[in-house]
Amino acid sequence: MAIALRGVGVRALGLVGSVVLARLLLPSDFGVLAFGFTLVAIGAFFTDAGLAAGLIRNATAPTRAQLSALLGLQLSATTVLVGLAAVPLWQAGTVGRVSALMSASLLPGAFRVPAIIQLQRNLDFAAVAIAEVLETAVYTALSIGLVLTGFGVWGVAAATFARPCLGIVVLQRAAPLRVLRPGRRWRTVAPLLVFGMTFQATRAVVLLREQGINVATLALAGSATLGFWTMTQRVMLVPFLLFETMWTVSYPALSRLLESGHDVRHDLTRGLRLGGLLTGLLVVPLAASAPAVVPLVFGQAWLPLVPVVPLAAVGLVVAGPLFSIGTGYLNAIGKVRLVVLAEGATLVPWIIVLLVVLPRAGVLAHGLAWTLASLVEAVILGGALARHARVPVFRALGSNALSALVAGGATYAVVVGREPTVLLAVGAVAASLLIYSPLAALLSPFSVGDLWKVARGVWLSRSN
């Protein structure tokens, strides 16, 4: 719940900030900032807590010496990256200089890593969530204030640099060990870097896939199709918030369960059932109401999105819970290469479909590729989970997936082709849930029971 609320809070604050800044800055200013944020995202990939992910699954808690050495390594790597980028950027005019200042925010960000590793290892997600929401709130307020006082894009860049500073204070106060002095004994953490680099390879594959899809779409089908595809991804942000939440929690939680000698087979089965049920509750009404909601919300020009949304929903129902929970288990037992393999294998259907179908079918090809890639990922991750954890993967997910396909497909078939109205959109959402809920309860009664137990546990924890 803490991670989910963090996601909602961060996205809501980001939306407010974007709306206000859009009225204060020019589109060209946003282009400058977009380039800077891209550099920050690339730098964060090399310097965030992912490289030290091995400390989360270790049987023993990290020592101060290890955390200090980790900070020293992260800070050294960040300094080198920022320094190498700053020289050419500073000579590239306003765009480069603003980006250089924004990329410098990676330096104070390195001091967050030791605390985040400890808190995630101890399953203290509330402290991490509070820190990230406060960081976003301070960044939003400071960037708007500096722009209003006349600093323009430089004000946003300064706010980006200040953003992690408050998080350092919050995280260090919550962490068991406060580590602010970088160490030089890198050999204490060197053995963990092999796991960390493989762990980060999954993110590298995802980044490569996403950027490759954008470039291929622009080259083969033009900017309009790329716009349709970008909007499809934004429509699916709500279910992705669920997957992000489950993925964030699953790796450290399963690491602690395995460390205690606990047999996690039952927990994994319950997690897949519950994840499948929640996925259906989110994507079924989204897919079923697409023929009415898309033209009502975005306008008639966005009608090509209508058939893409249900195809994307099918992919999420099939692979979403498996990726969120299965990868956490495989990372916890050290089988991180299987996760990289599963993500890498999804490139094959994407490449084939985009090359063959995209020029003829437009954005519909993205929906087809998404579904096929999800099936490939589900087969690889599901097979690995069944083999290493003896979990009845497809039996745990099959009932909820079937319920979702029947409910969403039946409602979509009735709604598509009708005049889009608010009443039709509301009716589609209600009808799809009225079909899905009893069908899921009938075919997968344990999932409903798991949902009740989790909700009751969350309420009792809140009350205590």
Side-chain angles (χ1 to χ4, degrees):
M1 289 299 294
I3 296 297
L5 292 174
R6 175 210 65 178
V8 173
V10 168
R11 284 170 173 79
L13 288 169
L15 177 61
V16 171
S18 297
V19 170
V20 175
L21 290 175
R23 294 179 173 272
L24 301 175
L25 298 173
L26 299 174
S28 58
D29 294 329
F30 270 87
V32 172
L33 296 175
F35 183 75
F37 282 123
T38 300
L39 291 182
V40 171
I42 294 173
F45 172 79
F46 293 101
T47 59
D48 67 6
L51 288 175
L55 288 172
I56 295 177
R57 61 182 289 266
N58 268 11
T60 56
T63 63
R64 187 181 296 275
Q66 285 179 315
L67 294 171
S68 179
L70 170 63
L71 176 57
L73 180 62
Q74 296 281 94
L75 198 57
S76 299
T78 304
T79 301
V80 171
L81 285 174
V82 172
L84 290 175
V87 175
L89 285 174
W90 204 257
Q91 300 175 1
T94 302
V95 175
R97 294 177 182 180
V98 170
S99 300
L101 177 57
M102 294 175 70
S103 62
S105 64
L106 296 170
L107 294 171
F111 287 89
R112 303 166 74 255
V113 173
I116 289 177
I117 290 294
Q118 294 179 80
L119 293 170
Q120 287 191 348
R121 191 182 185 282
N122 294 344
L123 310 183
D124 189 355
F125 298 105
V128 179
I130 291 171
E132 293 190 7
V133 172
L134 286 176
E135 286 176 354
T136 306
V138 168
Y139 161 77
T140 302
L142 187 59
S143 60
I144 292 173
L146 290 174
V147 171
L148 284 172
T149 54
F151 286 95
V153 291
W154 288 101
V156 180
T160 304
F161 182 85
R163 179 174 186 163
C165 297
L166 178 62
I168 295 171
V169 176
V170 176
L171 293 169
Q172 290 289 345
R173 287 179 63 87
L177 298 175
R178 298 183 185 180
V179 180
L180 292 171
R181 179 177 297 178
R184 297 182 180 179
R185 296 180 180 179
W186 297 350
R187 292 182 179 179
T188 59
V189 293
L192 300 170
L193 294 183
V194 175
F195 177 88
M197 288 187 289
T198 311
F199 185 89
Q200 288 289 76
T202 303
R203 292 178 57 190
V205 171
V206 173
L207 183 63
L208 174 65
R209 183 182 66 204
E210 292 177 350
Q211 297 307 315
I213 291 171
N214 292 339
V215 172
T217 302
L218 186 62
L220 296 173
S223 58
T225 303
L226 179 58
F228 287 131
W229 169 236
T230 303
M231 186 60 71
T232 302
Q233 293 176 297
R234 294 185 179 182
V235 170
M236 307 309 290
L237 277 179
V238 174
F240 269 108
L241 181 60
L242 170 66
F243 302 139
E244 176 189 349
T245 301
M246 293 192 296
W247 181 82
T248 302
V249 174
S250 65
Y251 170 48
L254 287 165
S255 296
R256 300 286 73 75
L257 286 171
L258 290 168
E259 177 189 323
S260 67
H262 182 75
D263 184 2
V264 298
R265 180 184 179 188
H266 179 63
D267 301 286
L268 287 170
T269 304
R270 286 184 60 196
L272 291 174
R273 287 198 307 248
L274 182 58
L277 177 64
L278 292 174
T279 301
L281 289 173
L282 289 175
V283 304
V284 165
L286 194 63
S289 63
V293 171
V294 168
L296 284 174
V297 175
F298 303 109
Q300 293 291 330
W302 295 93
L303 280 176
L305 289 186
V306 170
V308 183
V309 173
L311 284 173
V314 171
L316 294 182
V317 166
V318 170
L322 257 179
F323 178 81
S324 304
I325 297 171
T327 57
Y329 173 76
L330 293 173
N331 287 333
I333 63 173
K335 301 294 182 180
V336 65
R337 291 182 181 179
L338 288 174
V339 180
V340 179
L341 172 64
E343 285 302 303
T346 63
L347 294 173
V348 176
W350 272 107
I351 293 172
I352 294 175
V353 172
L354 291 185
L355 288 177
V356 176
V357 183
L358 180 59
R360 300 177 179 86
V363 72
L364 187 62
H366 292 81
L368 177 60
W370 191 331
T371 301
L372 294 176
S374 299
L375 290 172
V376 170
E377 186 177 45
V379 169
I380 296 175
L381 290 178
L385 206 58
R387 185 167 63 254
H388 291 285
R390 305 187 313 277
V391 173
V393 174
F394 298 104
R395 188 170 65 190
L397 287 172
S399 299
N400 285 315
L402 178 61
S403 303
L405 291 173
V406 170
T411 310
Y412 180 89
V414 173
V415 175
V416 69
R418 296 177 179 272
E419 183 69 22
T421 64
V422 174
L423 182 60
L424 182 65
V426 173
V429 170
S432 63
L433 290 176
L434 286 174
I435 298 173
Y436 174 72
S437 300
L439 194 58
L442 177 65
L443 297 180
S444 185
F446 291 111
S447 300
V448 180
D450 292 336
L451 180 61
W452 168 251
K453 291 177 183 177
V454 170
R456 184 172 180 272
V458 170
W459 177 259
L460 291 176
S461 298
R462 176 183 175 276
S463 301
N464 293 334

